[in-house]
Amino acid sequence: ACVTLRHLTATENNRQKLVKENGILPLIELLRSESEEIQEQTAGTLHNLAIDAEIRGVIVQKQGLPALIELLAPSMGDKIQEQAIGTIRNISVSPQYETEIVTAGGGSRVGRLLP
C-alpha cells in the first residue's frame, strides 16, 4: 500500500486528495514503523507531498519533522535516509520552516551525512 501511495502522490490532484482526507498524520506515524520498507516508502510519499508549499505546512504542523529527522540516524539504511533528507530539503524550500528544522535536530543530523 505504501508503494502505491508513493506513486499516487506524484500528481498534484492526488496530493490534495490525500491532505483533504487527513492522510498526513497516519503517514507520519508510519515513519516509526518497524519495517524499513514501510519507512522508506512512507518517507518517499512525504517527499512527493512536500513538493506542494501548502502541504509542507501540514507536515510541519503534524510534527513530521522530528519523525523525519529520526530517520537520519546512522543506524538507518541509505534509501530511508535519502527519502527523509529529500523530504526535509523540500520543506526547507519554505524559509519559514528553517527554524523548525534546526530546532527538531535537523542541523546536526544533516551535518553528519556530509562527507
Side-chain angles (χ1 to χ4, degrees):
C2 289
V3 175
T4 303
L5 273 176
R6 184 175 178 181
H7 290 292
L8 288 172
T9 56
T11 64
E12 182 179 355
N13 189 38
N14 288 332
R15 289 192 294 269
Q16 295 302 322
K17 285 180 183 178
L18 189 98
V19 172
K20 192 179 241 185
E21 295 295 323
N22 297 311
I24 299 294
L25 187 58
L27 288 171
I28 292 168
E29 291 169 356
L30 283 172
L31 291 175
R32 293 186 172 98
S33 168
E34 297 285 324
S35 165
E36 289 186 7
E37 178 68 19
I38 289 173
Q39 289 173 324
E40 177 190 345
Q41 296 303 327
T42 302
T45 300
L46 289 167
H47 187 172
N48 287 345
L49 290 165
I51 291 169
D52 184 293
E54 181 181 320
I55 298 173
R56 287 181 210 132
V58 176
I59 293 169
V60 172
Q61 177 189 17
K62 301 287 184 184
Q63 300 300 307
L65 283 171
L68 288 161
I69 290 166
E70 286 176 24
L71 297 180
L72 301 180
S75 60
M76 296 304 221
D78 291 346
K79 290 180 180 182
I80 295 169
Q81 289 183 345
E82 181 181 320
Q83 293 306 318
I85 197 70
T87 306
I88 295 165
R89 182 197 62 229
N90 283 352
I91 292 169
S92 74
V93 169
S94 296
Q96 67 266 34
Y97 303 124
E98 291 173 359
T99 301
E100 284 91 339
I101 292 169
V102 173
T103 301
S108 60
R109 288 276 173 105
V110 171
R112 279 189 249 155
L113 295 175
L114 298 173

